[in-house]
Amino acid sequence: MSIPPAFDPPACLLLGPGPSNAEPRVLRAMSRPLLGQFDPRFTQLMNEVMDLSRQVFQTANQQTYPVSGTSRAGLEAVLGSIMEEGDRVIVGVCGRFGWLFRDIARRYRAEVVEVEAEWGQIIPAEAVEQALRAGRVKAVAMVHGETSTGILQPLDDIARLCREHDTLLIVDSVVTLGGSRVAVDASGWDACIAGLQKCLGGPSGIAPITYNERVERAVQSRRMAPETNYLDLVQLERYWGPERHNHHTAPTSMVYALHEALRIVVEEGLDQRVERHTRVGRAMGAGLEALGLKPFGDRAHGLPFLNPVCVPEEIADEAAVRGELLHDWGIEIGAAFGPLQGKIWRIGTLGYNARLDNVRRLLVALEQVLPRHGFQVPLGQAVASAEAAAAERFAADPAIAR
Ligand SMILES: *Cc1c(COP(=O)(O)O)cnc(C)c1O
């Protein structure tokens, strides 16, 4: 019998659209001893996770807890527990994660009304308004940060329209929580779903969610139980609530990870964290432009910490560029999906990775790698442009110069 060696991967710098590198403190938390799931020390930790999640989502919602599973488990739990066969849901689609919402809604037999925009653009509120006129819409599902295209969707007008039409607004903030401003109550979002591996600085595998009483009522007043047991919000509420209903086994180490990640976010401060993501992302954007790479899509509505750039025409094999970055430099950047496959790269500085030293590392690597694949770049300018862009933000607000 042969036993493979213990798995000991090299440290890679993950500068794609997620997963990003986890905070070292989060990884240490995951190696702590396991407790039984109803051990009072563990249930106390669960309560702290709920409380920290409320602070980070900026909500007073009682129902604020994580779903065990990756972010889409959170999306599916919320959508699947609200929608019943034939209910109408409007889904905003301008990228891959709009597709995901659409797919989940269809699988739960909702009647899906798509409101589309070109990939790389936002969805205009007027288009959602038009769709709402059809009447009898139970929910509007929108992606806050469309990670496949780098777009930050404005939601204020859409939230107002949902109120006017007495419709629930469900928001995918998987990539934005911890990186962009997310203020669930002030923004009038009824439900919001996030994930750990994007701007929260942990590994994938647990999905913080929050929803208000309007959603609770929709869930409680269903004619029939949802088709899912694992992701049934009614049971999950009873498991995370004081009743401690025995549902699934807690993913203990993931709860430790989430607890530590949220502690770090609150310690840093929500505004400071958004500022750091903005400053470092803008610096990366400036450096990439100095290399001659063209930004993709509507950057006026872009996620600052996720820079999509067009693959230059001169480059015949974009996968070879990514391969060389990964193998020779230990840096991963993101490819793209669907209509954008092979056409753009997505470069993220998310969570723990939102630091200037990572920007410098990638820019220096690209300066060496791109010319070998046929794209000439000006030497020695990218890092300086990135530093200048970061300094501009220091100057704008010295209080955040850290
Ligand atoms: C990453 C991501 C998801 C899916 O997350 P998983 O953890 O892979 O299930 C959903 N929506 C958005 C916006 C994302 O960025």
Side-chain angles (χ1 to χ4, degrees):
M1 270 238 277
S2 73
I3 303 176
F7 185 58
D8 188 16
C12 286
L13 179 58
L14 304 177
L15 296 184
S20 58
N21 294 90
E23 293 269 357
R25 271 172 59 183
V26 168
L27 295 177
R28 284 199 293 277
M30 294 181 81
S31 65
R32 305 231 160 95
L34 301 185
L35 292 170
Q37 76 167 344
F38 296 109
D39 183 312
R41 290 162 296 199
F42 188 72
T43 54
Q44 163 70 21
L45 184 82
M46 289 169 74
N47 291 344
E48 287 178 16
V49 164
M50 292 173 80
D51 187 50
L52 287 162
S53 303
R54 287 188 196 100
Q55 294 182 52
V56 174
F57 276 121
Q58 303 199 57
T59 184
N61 290 340
Q62 174 63 29
Q63 302 307 341
T64 305
Y65 56 85
V67 173
S68 303
T70 68
S71 321
R72 74 190 54 212
L75 299 171
E76 186 161 340
V78 172
L79 218 48
S81 297
I82 292 176
M83 305 313 294
E84 289 195 80
E85 182 160 4
D87 281 348
R88 190 174 289 162
V89 57
I90 293 175
V91 178
V93 179
C94 59
R96 187 211 182 192
F97 292 108
W99 281 356
L100 176 60
F101 254 151
R102 183 182 69 188
D103 180 67
I104 295 171
R106 283 189 181 149
R107 282 168 192 263
Y108 284 87
R109 304 204 188 93
E111 179 195 326
V112 176
V113 179
E114 275 180 74
V115 175
E116 286 181 279
E118 203 182 313
W119 287 42
Q121 305 299 318
I122 62 166
I123 294 165
E126 299 73 45
V128 175
E129 185 167 25
Q130 184 84 34
L132 278 165
R133 291 214 190 96
R136 208 181 48 78
V137 176
K138 190 158 191 187
V140 174
M142 297 293 298
V143 179
H144 187 214
E146 181 46 86
T147 319
S148 63
T149 61
I151 284 294
L152 180 63
Q153 173 70 43
L155 290 174
D156 287 350
D157 289 341
I158 293 171
R160 181 180 46 73
L161 288 165
C162 286
R163 273 298 124 87
E164 284 169 19
H165 290 260
D166 196 23
T167 296
L168 301 171
L169 176 60
I170 303 170
V171 180
D172 170 345
S173 73
V174 173
V175 82
T176 45
L177 190 70
S180 292
R181 179 173 178 273
V182 171
V184 169
D185 290 0
S187 305
W189 301 354
D190 295 294
C192 180
I193 300 101
L196 197 53
Q197 77 270 30
K198 306 285 169 79
C199 291
L200 288 178
S204 63
I206 198 159
I209 65 170
T210 184
Y211 50 92
N212 62 17
E213 282 157 13
R214 282 156 41 97
V215 172
E216 264 185 85
R217 277 199 297 279
V219 171
Q220 297 289 351
S221 63
R222 299 174 60 97
R223 297 183 297 271
M224 287 198 288
E227 288 81 348
T228 170
N229 168 299
Y230 186 55
L231 300 173
D232 175 4
L233 290 185
V234 172
Q235 295 191 60
L236 294 178
E237 278 174 18
R238 290 170 59 211
Y239 167 50
W240 278 86
E243 197 180 328
R244 301 285 174 213
H245 168 64
N246 194 351
H247 189 239
H248 65 292
T249 311
T252 319
S253 310
M254 285 311 303
V255 179
Y256 294 174
L258 177 59
H259 183 261
E260 190 62 13
L262 294 172
R263 269 171 31 81
I264 293 170
V265 174
V266 174
E267 255 172 41
E268 178 172 6
L270 298 175
D271 292 345
Q272 287 82 349
R273 198 172 172 94
V274 171
E275 173 54 37
R276 174 165 63 86
H277 277 83
T278 306
R279 173 161 41 93
V280 173
R282 294 260 161 83
M284 181 72 93
L288 294 168
E289 272 200 78
L291 287 173
L293 293 170
K294 273 193 22 227
F296 168 79
D298 174 8
R299 290 307 287 164
H301 292 106
L303 291 163
F305 51 79
L306 184 60
N307 281 281
V309 292
C310 302
V311 174
E313 276 169 20
E314 293 85 342
I315 292 182
D317 185 357
E318 67 84 22
V321 172
R322 286 185 290 113
E324 196 172 321
L325 282 172
L326 184 60
H327 295 295
D328 295 354
W329 295 77
I331 305 174
E332 182 179 275
I333 63 168
F337 301 100
L340 298 177
Q341 193 178 358
K343 299 199 174 126
I344 66 167
W345 290 315
R346 293 174 302 151
I347 295 168
T349 35
L350 280 52
Y352 178 63
N353 287 346
R355 299 197 319 256
L356 271 183
D357 53 346
N358 294 330
V359 174
R360 296 187 191 100
R361 235 180 102 181
L362 177 66
L363 293 174
V364 167
L366 284 172
E367 229 172 58
Q368 299 299 315
V369 173
L370 290 174
R372 268 204 289 285
H373 293 266
F375 185 68
Q376 298 311 315
V377 302
L379 291 181
Q381 288 182 21
V383 171
S385 299
E387 309 258 3
E392 226 171 85
R393 288 194 71 83
F394 287 138
D397 182 1
I400 53 94
R402 281 177 302 128

